[in-house]
Amino acid sequence: LHQKYELKHLEIEPHTSQVHSRLESPAHNAVRQRAPEPLRLGRALARVAIAAYPVAIPVMYVGLLLAARRALSAQRQTRLSKALSFLHREYEPRYFWWEILEVVKKLVLVGFAAIIAPGSVMQLVIAMMVSLMLLLLVAVAEPYQSDVHDFIALGSSFCLCGVIFWSLILKQEELTATLGDKGLLRIAKRKASM
């Protein structure tokens, strides 16, 4: 019972000389192409959910908080403001919307930053700029009702900036080790002349 296999992918890592390959049989391809209808529908729904969730949840939060903003600003208890307390109870009344900023921060730093020039210095620079901006906002606004929470938020924002800063340094060392100082100067000169 021998099957014919086809080499679909071959990759050799330059530094370690490890070989990665993937062999497939025609029967394997036929099975993959004939997925049952419910499975294809399930996969399509999963893709839609994965794409919609990071955007739909913050948009829904914004809509609900905007609907309750008068009650929240006046510190009146309504059914909607009570139901949304998980979004605003930790913050001072004028910063009832701060949780939206936190959700967007996570979306930008974890979601969008992962797809913007992956593995590049530019990815880290953008993440550093976003983190510094959020550090400044936390320092100026002090949005939490508790001073301790304000201090912890400031400290965690500072640590996040520190981690990204050290990632930039490590990335620079990696580029220097790979290209050498002269190679980095050539790249910098080429980019400056563009």
Side-chain angles (χ1 to χ4, degrees):
L1 300 168
H2 298 286
Q3 289 186 350
K4 181 179 172 185
Y5 284 89
E6 222 178 294
L7 182 63
K8 288 293 186 181
H9 176 79
L10 179 67
E11 180 180 325
I12 301 172
E13 292 183 18
H15 301 294
T16 61
S17 299
Q18 290 183 341
V19 177
H20 302 281
S21 63
R22 186 176 73 225
L23 298 173
E24 292 182 3
S25 70
H28 176 80
N29 289 334
V31 169
R32 184 189 307 160
Q33 291 170 357
R34 287 183 286 154
E37 186 64 31
L39 182 59
R40 283 191 302 223
L41 178 62
R43 286 180 181 163
L45 287 173
R47 287 185 184 108
V48 168
I50 289 169
Y53 180 79
V55 175
I57 296 297
V59 168
M60 184 178 63
Y61 286 172
V62 167
L64 290 169
L65 285 173
L66 284 176
R69 73 178 177 271
R70 286 192 181 94
L72 294 172
S73 295
Q75 297 182 9
R76 278 192 338 260
Q77 292 286 331
T78 64
R79 287 179 52 192
L80 182 57
S81 67
K82 284 180 189 176
L84 296 175
S85 67
F86 73 97
L87 289 175
H88 63 81
R89 77 173 148 247
E90 298 295 324
Y91 306 106
E92 293 180 12
R94 67 177 181 250
Y95 295 114
F96 67 87
W97 49 268
W98 197 268
E99 187 64 28
I100 302 301
L101 185 66
E102 291 292 325
V103 170
V104 169
K105 173 181 88 170
K106 293 170 190 167
L107 177 63
V108 168
L109 290 177
V110 176
F112 295 146
I115 59 174
I116 299 172
S120 70
V121 172
M122 182 56 69
Q123 180 184 33
L124 292 170
V125 168
I126 291 170
M128 184 69 168
M129 289 172 32
V130 169
S131 298
L132 285 171
M133 182 181 68
L134 293 168
L135 172 67
L136 179 64
L137 283 173
V138 168
V140 170
E142 296 181 340
Y144 292 91
Q145 290 183 5
S146 165
D147 290 340
V148 172
H149 291 167
D150 284 328
F151 182 75
I152 291 170
L154 189 61
S156 66
S157 293
F158 180 78
C159 289
L160 180 61
C161 289
V163 167
I164 296 171
F165 176 75
W166 286 111
S167 297
L168 271 167
I169 289 174
L170 291 173
K171 187 63 163 175
Q172 180 66 29
E173 286 180 7
E174 175 188 325
L175 288 173
T176 303
T178 303
L179 299 173
D181 289 331
K182 292 180 183 174
L184 284 177
L185 288 174
R186 268 187 267 130
I187 290 172
K189 285 178 184 176
R190 217 177 305 141
K191 294 234 184 212
S193 66
M194 289 183 175

